[in-house]
Amino acid sequence: MTARLEQLRRCHFAVDLGASRTRVYVRGAGLVVDQPSVAAVNTRTGALIAVGEFAERMKGRTPHYIRVVRPVSGGTVVDIEMGQRMLRGLLGDKIRRALRRKPYLRAAVCTPHEADPLARRAAVETLVGLGARRVELVDTLIAAAVGCGLPVQQPEATMIMACGTATTQVAVLSLGSSVAAERIPVGGEAVDHAIVQHLRHQHELVLPGQSVRPLHIALSNMGLTPQGPASTEIRGRDVVTGLARSVQVDTAAVRNAIETPLTAVLDGIGRVLRECPPDLVADLVDRGIMMVGGSALLPGLDQMLREATGMPVHIAEQPDVCAVRGLGYMLEGRIEPLVLAPIGA
């Protein structure tokens, strides 16, 4: 861990390639990019038309020769060339020129816990295509724990749950590494899909791809808890007539619809706790679970986990940027390494 931190302190910029958003931290400048991981391409000419927020707004609204793609899925780059082009567009000419002036450009990038060699290689090649001469790989859970201020370097248990778009990662950390961890293939997309299918089957209503988030906002305050609103109005397109209409959606039925994906998350938490030594589990009784990631902001999710596990559940401040913030702390040298030297050395 000591040598690793020393290597990270030599990096010039860090990237968090998420399935939903891409974030870039430049040493000395801070967070310079926080945009959706989306690119729009003209299939006739191969030209890159737009990236980030503008490309995301184009989804579902383009002619047939414009394709809107996501080069990242589940924290893994699935299209290296498009990932490089997207990053170049997001960084812009000014930042790229500043990085190219570095004589030996170094970069750091987040990778999912226990990512396979192909996923690691794809992350490295994506940044090498931007001019990086050396790329350091950092576990997303470690970076997020550092970013939200958890004492990961101490000999005490901290439990973190990274709620991503495609996956949920749960881990118990101690002494700067994971003691037990689980990667669950269920994320915010699965919850959104469950809501969309419920509205289609029960109300014969089709929602546009970006209309699930307004449902989350409408269910804010107490969210998806029994204390929340009994119903909320949702607008969409009728399956039969194709005309626009609105329906009153029972929030209790929505809670039942998302119960299946959330059950998989609870099972993963249980498996992680069963793998931990009893002393570490005893630490977690008081500290509980820290939630990070964009999907941690799903209204009422923390209370549902609290009721199911009987443990305290906390949401980090700005949970969606914890991972890149942790990378930034490592680049800036704000984290002191824990030195475990032999006695008498």
Side-chain angles (χ1 to χ4, degrees):
M1 190 69 180
T2 305
R4 191 61 177 277
L5 279 175
E6 289 299 326
Q7 294 170 3
L8 288 172
R9 288 175 182 176
R10 299 173 186 169
C11 293
H12 301 99
F13 71 104
V15 181
D16 177 20
L17 285 168
S20 177
R21 299 184 75 87
T22 293
R23 299 175 177 90
V24 181
Y25 186 102
V26 176
R27 190 173 65 188
L31 186 64
V32 297
V33 173
D34 185 359
Q35 295 278 341
S37 303
V38 186
V41 183
N42 187 327
T43 57
R44 293 176 177 173
T45 63
L48 187 68
I49 298 174
V51 294
E53 292 180 354
F54 185 50
E56 188 174 49
R57 291 200 302 268
M58 295 169 65
K59 186 176 181 181
R61 299 178 173 89
T62 63
H64 65 89
Y65 61 88
I66 295 179
R67 187 166 59 101
V68 179
V69 297
R70 290 185 176 271
V72 185
S73 176
T76 301
V77 181
V78 294
D79 188 336
I80 297 175
E81 181 184 358
M82 189 56 64
Q84 293 173 350
R85 297 176 68 184
M86 180 190 72
L87 272 176
R88 292 192 193 103
L90 291 175
L91 285 172
D93 294 336
K94 183 178 179 180
I95 299 175
R96 285 165 53 200
R97 281 197 301 267
L99 292 175
R100 281 200 299 264
R101 295 192 190 104
K102 308 297 181 182
Y104 191 87
L105 186 61
R106 293 171 177 258
V109 62
C110 284
T111 56
H113 179 72
E114 292 185 350
D116 58 76
L118 289 177
R120 292 171 177 265
R121 183 182 180 89
V124 170
E125 289 188 2
T126 301
L127 296 191
V128 168
L130 294 178
R133 302 287 297 278
R134 182 182 176 94
V135 179
E136 300 292 341
L137 302 179
V138 182
D139 192 320
T140 301
L141 294 172
I142 299 291
V146 171
C148 62
L150 294 179
V152 294
Q153 298 287 78
Q154 301 303 317
E156 53 191 38
T158 54
M159 190 170 192
I160 187 166
M161 185 170 79
C163 307
T165 302
T167 61
T168 299
Q169 302 176 70
V170 184
V172 174
L173 310 175
S174 181
L175 291 174
S177 62
S178 60
V179 178
E182 185 83 15
R183 188 178 176 190
I184 308 156
V186 173
E189 281 183 350
V191 175
D192 293 349
H193 181 72
I195 295 175
V196 169
Q197 291 301 309
H198 167 74
L199 293 175
R200 185 181 183 92
H201 295 153
Q202 299 299 323
H203 300 278
E204 296 184 343
L205 195 72
V206 177
L207 290 184
Q210 300 175 353
S211 294
V212 178
R213 295 303 172 185
L215 175 60
H216 295 170
I217 296 172
L219 294 174
S220 57
N221 299 325
M222 296 304 291
L224 300 173
T225 61
Q227 294 77 24
S231 64
T232 185
E233 184 179 8
I234 298 297
R235 293 181 176 87
R237 189 186 70 186
D238 190 280
V239 173
V240 179
T241 64
L243 301 176
R245 69 182 178 94
S246 61
V247 297
Q248 287 291 329
V249 179
D250 184 11
T251 54
V254 174
R255 286 198 302 271
N256 293 333
I258 67 173
E259 195 171 296
T260 300
L262 292 182
T263 299
V265 174
L266 293 175
D267 291 343
I269 294 175
R271 288 192 295 270
V272 170
L273 291 175
R274 285 193 293 271
E275 293 177 10
C276 284
D279 292 340
L280 292 182
V281 176
D283 290 344
L284 297 174
V285 172
D286 296 327
R287 295 191 180 90
I289 305 171
M290 179 65 76
M291 296 176 61
V292 299
S295 297
L297 297 173
L298 178 66
L301 177 58
D302 56 332
Q303 184 168 336
M304 295 177 71
L305 292 175
R306 195 177 296 116
E307 293 173 354
T309 61
M311 298 168 57
V313 179
H314 314 282
I315 301 178
E317 183 180 356
Q318 293 182 309
D320 49 340
V321 298
C322 282
V324 73
R325 188 194 306 159
L327 285 177
Y329 289 166
M330 296 177 190
L331 264 62
E332 303 285 359
R334 300 185 190 179
I335 307 299
E336 291 297 326
L338 176 65
V339 180
L340 298 176
I343 296 177

